[in-house]
Coordinates of all heavy atoms in Angstrom, one line a residue:
M1 N 0.8 -1.2 0.0 CA 0.0 0.0 0.0 C 0.9 1.2 0.0 O 1.8 1.3 0.7 CB -0.9 0.0 1.2 CG -2.0 0.9 1.1 SD -3.4 0.7 2.3 CE -2.7 -0.4 3.5
S2 N 0.6 2.2 -0.8 CA 1.4 3.4 -1.0 C 0.9 4.5 -0.1 O -0.3 4.5 0.3 CB 1.3 3.8 -2.5 OG 1.8 2.8 -3.3
E3 N 1.7 5.5 0.1 CA 1.3 6.8 0.7 C 0.6 7.6 -0.4 O 0.8 7.3 -1.6 CB 2.5 7.5 1.3 CG 3.1 6.8 2.4 CD 4.2 7.6 3.1 OE1 4.2 8.8 2.9 OE2 5.0 7.0 3.7
F4 N -0.1 8.7 0.0 CA -0.7 9.5 -1.0 C 0.4 10.1 -2.0 O 1.3 10.7 -1.6 CB -1.4 10.7 -0.4 CG -2.6 10.3 0.4 CD1 -2.7 10.6 1.7 CD2 -3.6 9.5 -0.2 CE1 -3.8 10.2 2.5 CE2 -4.7 9.1 0.5 CZ -4.8 9.5 1.9
P5 N 0.2 9.9 -3.3 CA 1.2 10.3 -4.2 C 1.1 11.8 -4.6 O 2.0 12.3 -5.2 CB 1.0 9.4 -5.5 CG -0.5 9.1 -5.4 CD -0.8 9.1 -3.9
F6 N 0.0 12.5 -4.2 CA -0.1 13.9 -4.6 C -0.4 14.7 -3.3 O -1.0 14.1 -2.4 CB -1.3 14.1 -5.6 CG -1.3 13.2 -6.7 CD1 -2.1 12.1 -6.7 CD2 -0.5 13.4 -7.8 CE1 -2.2 11.2 -7.8 CE2 -0.5 12.5 -8.9 CZ -1.3 11.4 -8.9
L11 N -5.2 16.3 -5.0 CA -6.1 15.2 -5.1 C -7.5 15.7 -5.4 O -8.3 15.0 -6.1 CB -6.1 14.3 -3.9 CG -5.0 13.3 -3.8 CD1 -4.9 12.8 -2.4 CD2 -5.2 12.3 -4.8
F32 N 4.7 7.0 -7.4 CA 3.6 6.1 -7.1 C 3.6 4.9 -8.1 O 3.6 3.7 -7.7 CB 2.3 6.8 -7.2 CG 1.1 5.9 -7.1 CD1 0.7 5.3 -5.9 CD2 0.4 5.6 -8.3 CE1 -0.4 4.5 -5.8 CE2 -0.7 4.7 -8.2 CZ -1.1 4.2 -7.0
E36 N 4.3 0.9 -7.4 CA 3.3 -0.1 -7.8 C 3.8 -1.0 -8.9 O 3.1 -2.0 -9.3 CB 2.0 0.7 -8.4 CG 1.3 1.5 -7.3 CD 0.6 0.5 -6.4 OE1 -0.2 -0.4 -6.8 OE2 0.8 0.7 -5.1
W58 N -1.5 0.8 -15.3 CA -2.1 0.8 -14.0 C -3.6 0.8 -14.1 O -4.3 0.1 -13.4 CB -1.6 2.0 -13.2 CG -2.0 2.0 -11.7 CD1 -1.3 1.3 -10.7 CD2 -3.1 2.6 -11.1 NE1 -2.0 1.5 -9.5 CE2 -3.1 2.2 -9.8 CE3 -4.2 3.3 -11.6 CZ2 -4.1 2.7 -8.9 CZ3 -5.2 3.8 -10.7 CH2 -5.1 3.4 -9.4
R62 N -6.3 -2.2 -12.8 CA -7.2 -1.9 -11.8 C -8.7 -1.8 -12.3 O -9.6 -1.5 -11.5 CB -6.9 -0.6 -11.1 CG -5.5 -0.5 -10.5 CD -5.3 -1.5 -9.3 NE -4.0 -1.5 -8.8 CZ -3.0 -2.4 -9.0 NH1 -3.3 -3.5 -9.7 NH2 -1.8 -2.3 -8.5
I64 N -10.0 0.3 -14.5 CA -10.5 1.6 -14.6 C -10.8 1.9 -16.1 O -11.8 2.4 -16.5 CB -9.4 2.7 -14.1 CG1 -9.2 2.4 -12.6 CG2 -9.9 4.1 -14.4 CD1 -8.0 3.1 -12.0
P80 N -10.2 13.3 -12.4 CA -10.8 13.1 -11.1 C -11.1 11.7 -10.7 O -10.9 11.3 -9.6 CB -12.1 13.9 -11.3 CG -11.9 14.9 -12.4 CD -10.9 14.2 -13.3
R81 N -11.6 10.8 -11.7 CA -11.9 9.5 -11.3 C -10.6 8.7 -11.0 O -10.6 7.9 -9.9 CB -12.6 8.8 -12.5 CG -13.0 7.3 -12.2 CD -13.9 6.8 -13.3 NE -14.1 5.4 -13.0 CZ -13.9 4.4 -13.9 NH1 -13.5 4.7 -15.1 NH2 -14.1 3.1 -13.6
T82 N -9.6 8.8 -11.8 CA -8.4 8.0 -11.5 C -7.7 8.5 -10.2 O -7.2 7.8 -9.4 CB -7.4 8.1 -12.7 OG1 -8.0 7.5 -13.8 CG2 -6.1 7.3 -12.4
R83 N -7.7 9.9 -10.0 CA -7.2 10.4 -8.8 C -7.9 9.8 -7.6 O -7.3 9.5 -6.6 CB -7.3 11.9 -8.8 CG -6.4 12.7 -9.6 CD -6.7 14.2 -9.5 NE -6.0 14.9 -10.5 CZ -4.8 15.6 -10.2 NH1 -4.3 15.5 -9.0 NH2 -4.2 16.2 -11.2
A84 N -9.2 9.8 -7.6 CA -10.0 9.3 -6.5 C -9.6 7.8 -6.2 O -9.5 7.4 -5.1 CB -11.5 9.5 -6.8
L85 N -9.5 7.0 -7.3 CA -9.2 5.6 -7.1 C -7.7 5.4 -6.6 O -7.5 4.5 -5.9 CB -9.4 4.9 -8.4 CG -10.9 4.8 -8.8 CD1 -11.1 4.2 -10.2 CD2 -11.7 4.0 -7.8
I86 N -6.8 6.3 -7.1 CA -5.4 6.2 -6.5 C -5.5 6.5 -5.0 O -4.9 5.8 -4.2 CB -4.5 7.2 -7.2 CG1 -4.2 6.6 -8.7 CG2 -3.2 7.4 -6.5 CD1 -3.4 7.6 -9.5
M87 N -6.2 7.5 -4.6 CA -6.4 7.9 -3.2 C -7.0 6.7 -2.4 O -6.5 6.3 -1.4 CB -7.2 9.1 -3.0 CG -7.2 9.6 -1.6 SD -7.7 11.3 -1.5 CE -9.4 11.1 -1.0
Q88 N -8.0 6.1 -3.0 CA -8.6 4.9 -2.3 C -7.7 3.8 -2.2 O -7.6 3.1 -1.2 CB -9.9 4.5 -3.1 CG -10.7 3.4 -2.5 CD -11.9 3.1 -3.3 OE1 -12.3 3.8 -4.2 NE2 -12.5 1.9 -3.0
W89 N -6.9 3.6 -3.3 CA -5.9 2.5 -3.3 C -4.8 2.7 -2.2 O -4.4 1.8 -1.5 CB -5.3 2.4 -4.7 CG -4.3 1.3 -4.8 CD1 -2.9 1.4 -4.8 CD2 -4.5 -0.1 -5.0 NE1 -2.3 0.2 -4.9 CE2 -3.3 -0.8 -5.0 CE3 -5.7 -0.8 -5.1 CZ2 -3.2 -2.2 -5.2 CZ3 -5.6 -2.2 -5.2 CH2 -4.4 -2.8 -5.3
C90 N -4.4 4.0 -2.1 CA -3.4 4.3 -1.1 C -3.9 4.1 0.4 O -3.1 3.7 1.2 CB -2.9 5.7 -1.3 SG -2.0 6.0 -2.8
V91 N -5.2 4.3 0.6 CA -5.8 4.2 1.9 C -6.0 2.7 2.2 O -5.7 2.2 3.3 CB -7.1 5.0 2.0 CG1 -7.8 4.7 3.3 CG2 -6.8 6.5 1.9
G92 N -6.6 2.0 1.3 CA -7.1 0.6 1.6 C -6.4 -0.5 0.8 O -6.6 -1.6 1.1
G93 N -5.7 -0.1 -0.2 CA -5.0 -1.2 -1.0 C -5.9 -1.9 -1.9 O -5.5 -2.9 -2.5
S94 N -7.2 -1.5 -2.1 CA -8.1 -2.2 -3.0 C -9.2 -1.3 -3.4 O -9.4 -0.2 -2.7 CB -8.7 -3.5 -2.4 OG -9.4 -3.2 -1.3
F95 N -10.0 -1.7 -4.3 CA -11.2 -0.9 -4.8 C -12.4 -1.7 -4.3 O -12.5 -2.8 -4.3 CB -11.2 -0.7 -6.3 CG -10.0 0.1 -6.8 CD1 -9.4 -0.3 -7.9 CD2 -9.6 1.2 -6.1 CE1 -8.3 0.4 -8.4 CE2 -8.5 1.9 -6.6 CZ -7.8 1.5 -7.8

Side-chain angles (χ1 to χ4, degrees):
M1 194 165 17
S2 303
E3 293 184 22
F4 293 123
F6 313 100
L11 278 169
F32 170 78
E36 292 291 307
W58 189 86
R62 303 296 179 251
I64 299 166
R81 179 171 176 232
T82 300
R83 283 177 191 264
L85 292 172
I86 287 173
M87 190 162 97
Q88 183 178 346
W89 182 258
C90 290
V91 171
S94 63
F95 300 135

